[in-house]
Amino acid sequence: MSEGGALATAEAALQVDRGVLDNGMTVLVAERRGLPMVALKLVLRAGAVAEPADRPGLATLTAQLLLQGTSTRSAEQIAEAVDQLGGAFTVTAQHDVVAVELAVLKQDLPTALDLLADVLLRPAFHPDEIARKVKQLQAYLLRLEEQPRAVARRTFNELLFGPHPYGRPLEGTQEGLARITEADVRDFYRRLYTPRGAILAASGEITRAELVDALRPRLASWQPAPAGPPPIPAPRPPQGRVVKVINRDLQQANIVMGHLGLPRTDPDYEAVSVMNYILGGGGFASRLMQVIRERGGLAYSVRSGFDGGLLHGAFRVEMQTQNPTANRAVELALQEIERMRTTPVAEQDLEEGRAFLIGSFPQRLSSNGRIVDFLTDVELYGLGLDYAEQYPRRLRALTREEIQRVAAKYLHPQDIVLVVVADEGKAQLR
Amino acid sequence: MAGGLLAGEGAAQLAAAQEWPVQDRTLANGLTVLFLEDRQTPLVTVQVWYRVGSRNEQPGLTGLSHVTEHMMFKGTATRGPNVFSTLVQKAGGRHNAFTTSDYTVYFETLAPQGLDLALELEADRMANLVIDAKEFGLERNVVLEERRLRTDDNPSELLNEEVTATAFKAHPYQWPVIGWTPDLQAMTAEDVRRYYQTYYAPNNAFLVIAGHPGEGSVFDRVERYFGHLPRRDGPPAVRGREPAPQGERRVVLRREAELAHLVIGYQVPNHQSEDAFPLDVLSAVLGEGRSSRLYRRLVYSEQKALAVRSDYTPFTVDPHLLSVTAQVTAGVTPEELERLIAEEIERARRENVSPAELARAKRRLEARFILRQDSLFYRALAVGQAEMLGGWALVREYLPRLRAVTAEQVRQAAERYLTEERRTVGVLYPTPGRGRGGRPAGRPTGGEFR
């Protein structure tokens, strides 16, 4: 294991100890005494972007099957072990990655690492378990149809990203799931569940040396796969406005609107986050909340966000309003996006956004669970171990002109994709 | 694992973590202050707990506690609407509030140097709230949107609401925290003013402050901002008592949905009963986690349900429900699923759980309780909840009371309370495609955030 940097962030005095194992996995540890627990998060480059195009849902299926049996444990035995540990042991596929997350009492760490190594290295992928999970995911897809926000988001992603993997629903499709075979799962696992590029973060009553000593015998057989995942091209969004209305028996119109954003790795990301705070990310301080909720009484929840991953994510505004006011709410949101693009923000707006984002930063490091999220992000997106120090500096250096520049560059009201799930007769969308 | 659940070094560490070193003081005006010091992270959480929730409401004015919570952000005699949010966020603070059937909590989490600001703002709105009719009208619309979002357009929430409304015929737990739509539509700014005058007073509230306090005494600072606020007459006691149930109740909904939903709620006692902790363990054995009986049989082995779970908390002011919730797999009838759940309930009433099952359920609850303390906010919440129910020191009793539960107590609790006459069954049958028709309204559990 090579030595990495240790660093104290100015605001939160977080000591991070980083190193890379011989098999290529990066290990980051923040030692924190107090509560006798350890939070762990393992991130693998085995998300939905690596799925074959005609097998949507394969990443989620493979991830969920890790807990459905190994060469030495049945699914029921794994369920018992997880509950015995307190129940906080999950495997979740996202677009870029798969995350294995666990939080355990310190005294349970050896048991938890045994379980982690077992499910990671020796999953059984038994045909019965695959069939069972496929059936469950197919039923879950039906359940999602009952959730108008989920329907709106999925449709928005499909329209915005088209055939690009970011447009794929993580939970798959009925047809895609039906097509997946045992060989598909095994192949996906063999190619992508590899330590090369993997990130393991730990926070709590543990040191890096302790963790590495504990991992070494358990992960000895885990070696890199011959080839990494193929590179994914950047998404190519549609030009011009796209509108889709889905008719349902609902009291509220569920609105998702937006366009392509930027990758999390983009140097403009911080400037964009301040701009978005002012527009719709800043809760009650944001313009969208002020105009649509506080002064309009039109919605309970309204927000905007840029959810960049390794590639360009989406810029989205989400809100819900009773059917007859859907047009009004959309109009107001578009006006605010346009105003942000064309009118420089006041010095006070910039100052308030900056003050909140800098001042609330320590809250991102305030628990073991949050620290492992932070550390895996820092590593995955190459933000640098000193990100907690750099972040306030970068924000303080921002000017109104800079906010203006990124607003003009990253907001495109003419290319908005608008999805509304509503009672069409009452909403009368224009 | 039975017996020596926590041995050796682990037990010593846990004991240290379990001390809950709370300092408390009560001001002359009746405001109690609880301070849980933790200097590990440069953050402090302030929570103001008011002893008012939907159980304090009257028929015709349901949802008033939650609407009042919304109005608490609308300005005071010296600060306009939204000044609160702006000041807290400028200080790098996060803030919000939530209302449950039992209490209303306002909170800020910020850097230690922001503690004074949070205290000053909270003291101001405890005594000087301005309820403007125009602001009220807008906010009522926001709350109606919140209700549409959370309940009216959410089939499983709608069913929960109907089951709770059916299970309680006398106690105010029958109505949802967010309130019934007609009540919200008829509510006035004057209703909120009267409610605020009645329930928002230092002697009907307490503060929980957790984390890093910065320079100076926490208690002195609370005294400075809150000490001069006048005590008010104590609010009226909640008189509603639920009579003994006389027989099973049923409610049926038909909605545009994909899957049938089933909810079975049993009237059970709360923390004041010796049976509360056995019920807590019983709920875990039945339906918390993938090794629980209902999940294992219905979701995993027989695949009759997409999801099933059991919910219970001992920590309500008055007795509430233990409920089993399930989503029925396509091709299975709710009646069949109900019959299978009834078999498992019957088994729990007749036979003791095995030592391994008991140990696992207790271990799950215990680990969860400790692991949640990773969050400063949660620790403050646990202290506040205990204070709400009779004294913060009760938080120290959770683990010992949980560990003392026996298999026989679990069986007896099941036998006593999981009976037909204590049961309310709700079924939602899906109607295909775009059905038409008016919609009734919503319910509590958990709470409604601002």
Side-chain angles (χ1 to χ4, degrees):
Chain A
M1 177 152 188
S2 63
E3 289 303 306
L7 166 132
T9 65
E11 261 87 1
L14 182 72
Q15 289 281 345
V16 184
D17 197 353
R18 178 185 182 275
V20 180
L21 299 184
D22 293 336
N23 66 11
M25 179 168 75
T26 302
V27 178
L28 300 138
V29 179
E31 183 186 356
R32 283 170 100 233
R33 300 282 154 183
L35 197 63
M37 69 165 289
V38 178
L40 289 165
K41 183 173 180 178
L42 171 64
V43 166
L44 302 167
R45 300 280 188 102
V49 295
E51 292 167 348
D54 59 349
R55 298 288 192 276
L58 180 57
T60 290
L61 180 68
T62 307
Q64 293 196 358
L65 283 167
L66 291 195
L67 297 181
Q68 298 307 120
T70 69
S71 55
T72 57
R73 297 178 212 235
S74 69
E76 295 187 328
Q77 285 169 326
I78 292 172
E80 285 177 7
V82 167
D83 281 343
Q84 180 84 23
L85 292 168
F89 193 131
T90 58
V91 188
T92 321
Q94 299 151 17
H95 279 102
D96 288 332
V97 296
V98 159
V100 184
E101 293 167 273
L102 51 154
V104 296
L105 301 180
K106 176 67 192 283
Q107 64 188 29
D108 291 336
L109 188 63
T111 315
L113 292 177
D114 286 344
L115 181 64
L116 174 65
D118 201 27
V119 302
L120 188 63
L121 304 187
R122 291 174 288 278
F125 300 127
H126 192 282
D128 289 353
E129 295 295 345
I130 295 177
R132 193 191 306 269
K133 260 301 166 207
V134 164
K135 204 176 148 198
Q136 273 182 12
L137 283 168
Q138 288 178 324
Y140 177 67
L141 284 175
L142 289 179
R143 171 103 170 90
L144 285 182
E145 286 296 315
E146 294 176 3
Q147 299 170 14
R149 268 177 296 177
V151 172
R153 276 179 205 158
R154 190 177 61 212
T155 309
F156 174 83
N157 284 340
E158 282 165 11
L159 291 173
L160 176 63
F161 292 107
H164 190 272
Y166 275 12
R168 260 176 228 160
L170 291 170
E171 58 282 350
T173 60
Q174 296 288 353
E175 310 75 50
L177 287 165
R179 225 176 277 135
I180 294 172
T181 64
E182 182 190 338
D184 292 331
V185 175
R186 290 191 181 279
D187 178 63
F188 192 79
Y189 170 79
R190 192 173 49 242
R191 286 190 296 117
L192 299 158
Y193 281 68
T194 166
R196 183 184 292 138
I199 303 161
L200 177 65
S203 179
E205 286 210 340
I206 185 141
T207 63
R208 194 188 67 182
E210 246 180 291
L211 181 62
V212 170
D213 283 350
L215 290 175
R216 197 169 280 129
R218 290 176 171 93
L219 298 185
S221 66
W222 199 32
Q223 292 304 320
I232 311 292
R236 291 173 51 195
Q239 301 287 308
R241 201 163 285 189
V242 177
V243 179
K244 169 100 176 171
V245 181
I246 297 173
N247 192 23
R248 292 286 166 94
D249 184 11
L250 295 169
Q251 295 206 358
Q252 272 186 330
N254 289 258
I255 300 162
V256 178
M257 55 196 282
H259 50 63
L260 203 65
L262 72 173
R264 177 66 187 87
T265 50
D266 196 291
D268 280 339
Y269 191 84
E270 281 77 23
V272 168
S273 70
V274 176
M275 185 270 289
N276 182 62
Y277 179 91
I278 299 167
L279 175 63
F284 286 90
S286 79
R287 292 176 178 182
L288 289 176
M289 189 72 124
Q290 281 303 312
V291 169
I292 290 169
R293 174 170 162 164
E294 297 297 288
R295 294 208 291 277
L298 295 176
Y300 169 70
S301 163
V302 49
R303 56 181 302 114
S304 68
F306 284 82
D307 60 356
L310 289 169
L311 300 170
H312 297 69
F315 161 69
R316 280 190 305 203
V317 175
E318 289 193 16
M319 55 192 172
Q320 304 82 29
T321 185
Q322 56 178 328
N323 291 306
T325 47
N327 279 315
R328 180 79 188 126
V330 169
E331 236 166 67
L332 289 170
L334 285 171
Q335 275 171 22
E336 287 306 322
I337 293 170
E338 189 57 34
R339 176 159 81 102
M340 178 58 76
R341 237 176 71 80
T342 51
T343 313
V345 299
E347 187 61 40
Q348 190 189 340
D349 289 343
L350 169 60
E351 193 36 60
E352 287 182 12
R354 189 157 53 191
F356 173 80
L357 291 168
I358 294 173
S360 64
F361 194 86
Q363 299 196 37
R364 292 164 67 177
L365 307 175
S366 63
S367 69
N368 293 311
R370 287 179 177 183
I371 287 169
V372 293
D373 286 341
F374 176 77
L375 294 179
T376 49
D377 277 359
V378 159
E379 187 67 27
L380 183 65
Y381 301 122
L383 304 178
L385 260 190
D386 60 348
Y387 187 67
E389 281 187 334
Q390 291 302 329
Y391 182 80
R393 273 183 218 156
R394 285 194 211 168
L395 260 58
R396 284 191 191 105
L398 290 174
T399 61
R400 294 169 61 208
E401 292 68 36
E402 191 69 0
I403 300 299
Q404 189 58 41
R405 180 185 69 76
V406 296
K409 183 170 177 191
Y410 296 102
L411 295 175
H412 316 292
Q414 75 282 4
D415 291 331
I416 287 271
V417 173
L418 168 66
V419 176
V420 184
V421 180
D423 187 327
E424 203 171 2
K426 291 180 186 151
Q428 293 293 328
L429 275 131
R430 293 191 295 271
Chain B
M1 288 297 291
L5 279 180
L6 296 165
E9 188 196 5
Q13 284 180 342
L14 282 188
Q18 291 313 304
E19 276 172 15
W20 294 93
V22 174
Q23 302 168 54
D24 60 357
R25 188 175 301 177
T26 300
L27 310 189
N29 60 13
L31 180 73
T32 295
V33 187
L34 307 172
F35 174 43
L36 181 65
E37 187 166 352
D38 178 350
R39 292 176 179 261
Q40 179 160 35
T41 307
L43 289 172
V44 63
T45 287
V46 176
Q47 295 176 352
V48 185
W49 290 64
Y50 291 91
R51 295 177 187 272
V52 60
S54 59
R55 77 186 264 286
N56 299 86
E57 295 163 0
Q58 305 292 320
L61 285 171
T62 65
L64 186 50
S65 310
H66 173 245
V67 169
T68 304
E69 176 225 302
H70 275 240
M71 293 308 295
M72 282 282 277
F73 293 86
K74 294 296 178 179
T76 64
T78 54
R79 294 183 172 95
N82 275 297
V83 170
F84 186 99
S85 297
T86 306
L87 290 174
V88 172
Q89 291 185 216
K90 259 166 73 178
R94 293 179 184 275
H95 67 92
N96 211 327
F98 62 91
T99 307
T100 75
S101 43
D102 292 338
Y103 43 82
T104 310
V105 182
Y106 300 82
F107 56 89
E108 296 79 38
T109 299
L110 24 59
Q113 55 271 31
L115 177 59
D116 280 83
L117 173 70
L119 294 174
E120 186 179 350
L121 292 173
E122 288 294 1
D124 186 25
R125 67 178 174 179
M126 181 180 281
N128 307 314
L129 191 67
V130 170
I131 295 142
D132 172 77
K134 180 165 171 284
E135 291 286 345
F136 168 79
L138 285 170
E139 202 60 25
R140 186 179 52 189
N141 288 342
V142 170
V143 172
L144 283 163
E145 293 291 358
E146 186 179 359
R147 195 193 143 84
R148 291 182 189 108
L149 175 70
R150 291 182 192 275
T151 313
D152 297 330
D153 284 345
N154 183 341
S156 56
E157 265 310 296
L158 201 60
L159 182 63
N160 275 328
E161 184 176 81
E162 288 297 314
V163 166
T164 309
T166 308
F168 294 100
K169 61 189 171 197
H171 191 278
Y173 282 159
Q174 66 187 260
W175 55 76
V177 171
I178 198 153
W180 300 119
T181 299
D183 291 357
L184 292 169
Q185 285 167 337
M187 200 174 278
T188 66
E190 187 51 33
D191 292 326
V192 179
R193 277 182 211 119
R194 211 173 303 129
Y195 205 67
Y196 174 75
Q197 296 292 336
T198 308
Y199 292 100
Y200 283 70
N203 48 312
N204 197 44
F206 58 88
L207 256 61
V208 183
I209 300 170
H212 197 307
E215 300 291 314
S217 155
V218 165
F219 296 107
D220 289 353
R221 277 181 279 173
V222 174
E223 177 70 44
R224 187 186 318 148
Y225 297 108
F226 289 86
H228 64 282
L229 303 185
R231 180 189 279 273
R232 290 185 201 267
D233 293 341
V238 173
R239 302 281 291 269
R241 293 282 176 275
E242 190 64 21
Q246 299 299 313
E248 181 187 77
R249 276 152 279 181
R250 289 195 164 249
V251 56
V252 171
L253 299 184
R254 293 180 201 279
R255 281 292 172 287
E256 182 180 305
E258 300 291 331
L259 302 170
H261 294 247
L262 178 65
V263 175
I264 308 173
Y266 293 91
Q267 290 195 23
V268 294
N270 65 356
H271 67 105
Q272 288 157 326
S273 162
E274 288 300 313
D275 291 316
F277 283 76
L279 281 166
D280 206 11
V281 174
L282 174 65
S283 178
V285 167
L286 283 176
E288 296 175 26
R290 292 189 177 186
S291 71
S292 65
R293 288 179 175 187
L294 291 172
Y295 186 93
R296 183 179 283 204
R297 178 167 176 195
L298 302 176
V299 178
Y300 183 77
S301 296
E302 300 184 14
Q303 300 181 64
K304 306 280 189 190
L306 170 61
V308 63
R309 62 162 211 274
S310 170
D311 291 292
Y312 170 71
T313 174
F315 306 115
T316 51
V317 170
D318 294 319
H320 210 282
L321 302 177
L322 182 155
S323 52
V324 174
T325 309
Q327 279 128 35
V328 187
T329 302
V332 177
T333 64
E335 291 73 24
E336 182 183 359
L337 192 62
E338 190 187 339
R339 188 175 52 74
L340 295 174
I341 292 170
E343 278 180 24
E344 288 302 323
I345 299 281
E346 205 38 49
R347 189 176 141 218
R349 299 178 77 231
R350 271 201 319 269
E351 301 165 17
N352 281 357
V353 296
S354 72
E357 225 177 345
L358 178 70
R360 195 167 63 235
K362 286 160 78 168
R363 199 54 219 288
R364 181 184 158 88
L365 293 170
E366 175 176 47
R368 193 179 60 178
F369 180 77
I370 297 165
L371 291 170
R372 277 183 179 168
Q373 294 170 38
D374 188 23
S375 151
L376 187 65
F377 182 81
Y378 176 80
R379 270 184 281 160
L381 209 58
V383 168
Q385 205 168 40
E387 177 70 9
M388 189 68 213
L389 296 173
W392 65 263
L394 289 172
V395 73
R396 291 173 171 161
E397 291 178 22
Y398 181 78
L399 289 180
R401 286 183 72 181
L402 177 69
R403 287 173 188 149
V405 172
T406 67
E408 177 57 18
Q409 287 172 334
V410 172
R411 192 198 60 75
Q412 282 175 3
E415 191 179 11
R416 267 179 213 144
Y417 303 108
L418 303 194
T419 64
E420 189 183 308
E421 66 179 19
R422 290 182 164 270
R423 179 166 81 193
T424 301
V425 180
V427 184
L428 182 140
Y429 293 96
T431 57
R434 265 196 53 95
R436 284 284 168 185
R439 295 199 150 190
R443 86 139 194 180
T445 67
E448 308 297 353
F449 272 81
R450 175 193 176 197

